[in-house]
Amino acid sequence: MPDTPIVVRARNVTLSLGDGEARVDILHGIDLDIQQGESVALLGPSGSGKSSLMAILSGLEQASGGTVEVAGADFRSLDEDALAIVRRDRLGIVLQSFHLLPTMTAQENVAVPLELSGADDPFGTAAAELSAVGLGHRMAHYPSQLSGGEQQRVAIARAVAPRPSIIFADEPTGNLDRATGGGIVDLLFERRASAGATLIIITHDETLAERCDRVLEMQDGRIVSDSAAAS
Ligand SMILES: Nc1ncnc2c1ncn2[C@@H]1O[C@H](COP(=O)(O)OP(=O)(O)OP(=O)(O)O)[C@@H](O)[C@H]1O
Ligand SMILES: [Mg+2]
């Protein structure tokens, strides 16, 4: 598909944290293009840099070097506020730890970001999204009253509710049993199909990786294999 736009473009992206003796080089020159509508699985051993790369591509962390362009925005040229707007309006992010707001119910966690971006009927949409992840009966519960898997599903509902053009998910099925996890993955793929969204999923699950158009494998802060390059 040569005419499909590139929605993620990373060039020589590096990440180093800490100084002097404590300095850790985490990413070593990542080059990556992802097309609109692609589904991409990101695999690799624990500590290989998957979450770090996702944090950079989703604008949550700044690269130490290189360039990152996502959804048409050059991240280096944006300040924190502009970056937050790109994230809010175009990106759906499900983190490895869910980052739900503890003082808000499940429904509020999903509705408030929608409200901030000016959506119609944020609470109605939140209710529909929570039902779609099987949590219609848990809307008034606070995160502390939900199991890990339920919190994960709230985080997924929150990420997909604004219909983002790129969905980033860090081990979205990590805390779910096979049946629930399968349902969540179906939902992510269905959202991708209906909205033409791009889906980037970190996973250790080979079956999930096989459902994706493309599989990237990381090792020691580098992409060591890319199924798109092989085909
Ligand atoms: N704030 C930090 N300061 C120093 N090192 C860090 C920091 N965050 C992550 N690292 C290191 O960066 C490396 C990559 O971490 P990352 O979380 O990206 O791995 P991962 O591939 O997502 O692993 P997992 O599968 O366990 O989630 C690890 O060695 C980790 O210890
Ligand atoms: Mg990780």
Side-chain angles (χ1 to χ4, degrees), residues 80-207:
E80 259 314 308
D81 291 346
L83 209 49
I85 291 170
V86 172
R87 282 201 302 267
R88 187 191 72 192
D89 293 346
R90 296 188 234 165
L91 311 182
I93 306 170
V94 184
L95 293 171
Q96 204 166 5
S97 50
F98 324 118
H99 293 270
L100 299 176
L101 294 167
T103 57
M104 289 188 191
T105 65
Q107 188 175 26
E108 288 164 345
N109 263 284
V110 179
V112 167
L114 292 170
E115 201 167 30
L116 291 173
S117 59
D120 293 335
D121 191 18
F123 284 83
T125 304
E129 295 292 348
L130 285 166
S131 297
V133 296
L135 288 181
H137 60 307
R138 287 284 183 273
M139 295 202 285
H141 287 61
Y142 290 90
S144 62
Q145 302 170 316
L146 299 170
S147 73
E150 287 169 344
Q151 292 179 50
Q152 186 156 32
R153 284 184 277 158
V154 176
I156 289 166
R158 179 179 61 182
V160 301
R163 299 289 187 269
S165 59
I166 308 177
I167 300 169
F168 292 96
D170 195 344
E171 299 191 32
T173 59
N175 292 284
L176 304 176
D177 61 78
R178 185 165 289 275
T180 311
I184 291 298
V185 170
D186 290 344
L187 177 87
L188 291 173
F189 275 87
E190 180 233 297
R191 286 305 161 73
R192 164 178 169 256
S194 62
T198 306
L199 188 56
I200 302 169
I201 306 179
I202 295 176
T203 184
H204 291 284
D205 177 348
E206 297 280 345
T207 318

Side-chain angles (χ1 to χ4, degrees), residues 44-52 54 96 170-171 202 204:
S46 181
S48 57
K50 305 179 299 295
S51 295
S52 303
M54 184 170 279
Q96 204 166 5
D170 195 344
E171 299 191 32
I202 295 176
H204 291 284

Side-chain angles (χ1 to χ4, degrees), residues 12-35:
N12 198 23
V13 166
T14 58
L15 178 67
S16 304
L17 296 174
D19 289 312
E21 297 270 294
R23 180 181 152 127
V24 190
D25 296 319
I26 296 171
L27 298 176
H28 306 272
I30 301 284
D31 290 315
L32 179 61
D33 283 337
I34 296 175
Q35 294 180 336

